[in-house]
Amino acid sequence: TTTSSSSSYNETTITTNGSLLCVAGPSGMPHHVDVSQHDAFASHAIWGDALGLLSAVGYGAYAVMIRLYCPHDDSEAEKQTMSMQLLLGYIGLVNAISLSPVAIYILLFQDTTVSIGLTWIIFGYLVAKGMLDNVLSDYLWARAVVLTSATVATVGLGLTIPLAFVSDLIMGHGNILDATSIMGATSVLAGFILVNIGEDIKEADNEEEEDSTTNTNRDSDVTISPPTCCLESEMKDEGL
């Protein structure tokens, strides 16, 4: 019990530290804003941060719901839960039904320049972008939530920060190369590694507990029969 509680404490500590690093990394990175736009940026910063926080809460709840109600193995208990493909299909259907009238109204009556410039080629690009950037990426992310955990998959989204940082370097955007940006990108990467280590420790502990429970149940089902010599002696005493 002491070993299990100590291992659980280590897993929680490692996962918490990794999550804090993932939060501290983007927070420490500077905002590269034009000085002439600084006043406008400052006036909307609080409102933007509040919306970002609300979005993060909703996204976290969405990830946890997927992990709880979508199956992640082939057991009978898991087959009783909701199919992930069905869940994503219903999300797309609800969005299409509720937002299509709004999009059609904007195209026809509000912004005529968009409807005039919308060719079949552009429409095809939009469909391809939606399939790759929305459908495929959301499906892969949801599968990552089911196969790992909500924490690992959500923290993994933060890897877009160091990847974007490397992309800016390759494209020659030298204005982002400073100490705080490098530390922020490194913190996100280190946090992702720590969270994965913590989840691996947790999974190993769960497997060890399952094996221990199985062995205990197996031992309790074993019946101890008396030796053969004792049975023969008892039969002779009874005159059998």
Side-chain angles (χ1 to χ4, degrees):
T1 305
T2 304
T3 304
S4 177
S5 61
S6 176
S7 178
S8 177
Y9 173 77
N10 292 333
E11 176 267 327
T12 303
T13 303
I14 293 174
T15 304
T16 302
N17 290 335
S19 300
L20 291 176
L21 280 176
C22 292
V23 173
S27 301
M29 298 183 71
H31 298 283
H32 296 283
V33 183
D34 188 2
V35 177
S36 61
Q37 302 294 330
H38 183 270
D39 294 336
F41 173 80
S43 62
H44 298 290
I46 297 178
W47 177 242
D49 292 340
L51 292 178
L53 180 60
L54 181 62
S55 174
V57 172
Y59 209 76
Y62 173 52
V64 173
M65 294 291 287
I66 290 178
R67 187 65 180 86
L68 288 177
Y69 294 107
C70 290
H72 62 279
D73 56 35
D74 295 330
S75 62
E76 291 298 327
E78 293 292 342
K79 289 180 180 179
Q80 301 300 321
T81 56
M82 179 179 292
S83 170
M84 186 184 66
Q85 290 83 354
L86 183 62
L87 173 64
L88 295 178
Y90 274 124
I91 292 175
L93 180 62
V94 171
N95 287 334
I97 294 176
S98 59
L99 298 179
S100 292
V102 178
I104 294 174
Y105 176 77
I106 293 175
L107 287 174
L108 296 180
F109 301 104
Q110 293 294 321
D111 195 346
T112 56
T113 58
V114 175
S115 59
I116 293 175
L118 184 62
T119 63
W120 285 108
I121 296 178
I122 296 176
F123 181 76
Y125 284 142
L126 292 176
V127 173
K129 188 265 182 188
M131 294 296 295
L132 295 176
D133 189 31
N134 297 107
V135 177
L136 181 61
S137 63
D138 280 359
Y139 176 79
L140 295 177
W141 172 79
R143 287 298 300 169
V145 171
V146 171
L147 296 176
T148 57
S149 69
T151 304
V152 173
T154 305
V155 169
L157 293 177
L159 292 179
T160 55
I161 295 175
L163 291 177
F165 181 78
V166 174
S167 300
D168 284 336
L169 289 179
I170 295 175
M171 296 175 64
H173 297 164
N175 61 328
I176 55 97
L177 188 59
D178 51 34
T180 54
S181 296
I182 295 174
M183 290 178 60
T186 305
S187 297
V188 173
L189 182 60
F192 177 72
I193 295 174
L194 288 179
V195 169
N196 276 275
I197 293 175
E199 291 294 328
D200 288 341
I201 295 174
K202 180 180 178 180
E203 184 177 355
D205 291 341
N206 292 335
E207 292 179 356
E208 184 178 353
E209 290 179 1
E210 291 178 359
D211 293 339
S212 177
T213 303
T214 302
N215 294 332
T216 302
N217 295 334
R218 187 181 303 167
D219 294 338
S220 63
D221 293 338
V222 175
T223 57
I224 302 176
S225 59
T228 306
C229 60
C230 296
L231 291 175
E232 294 178 353
S233 176
E234 291 178 0
M235 294 173 65
K236 290 180 180 179
D237 294 340
E238 294 176 358
L240 299 176

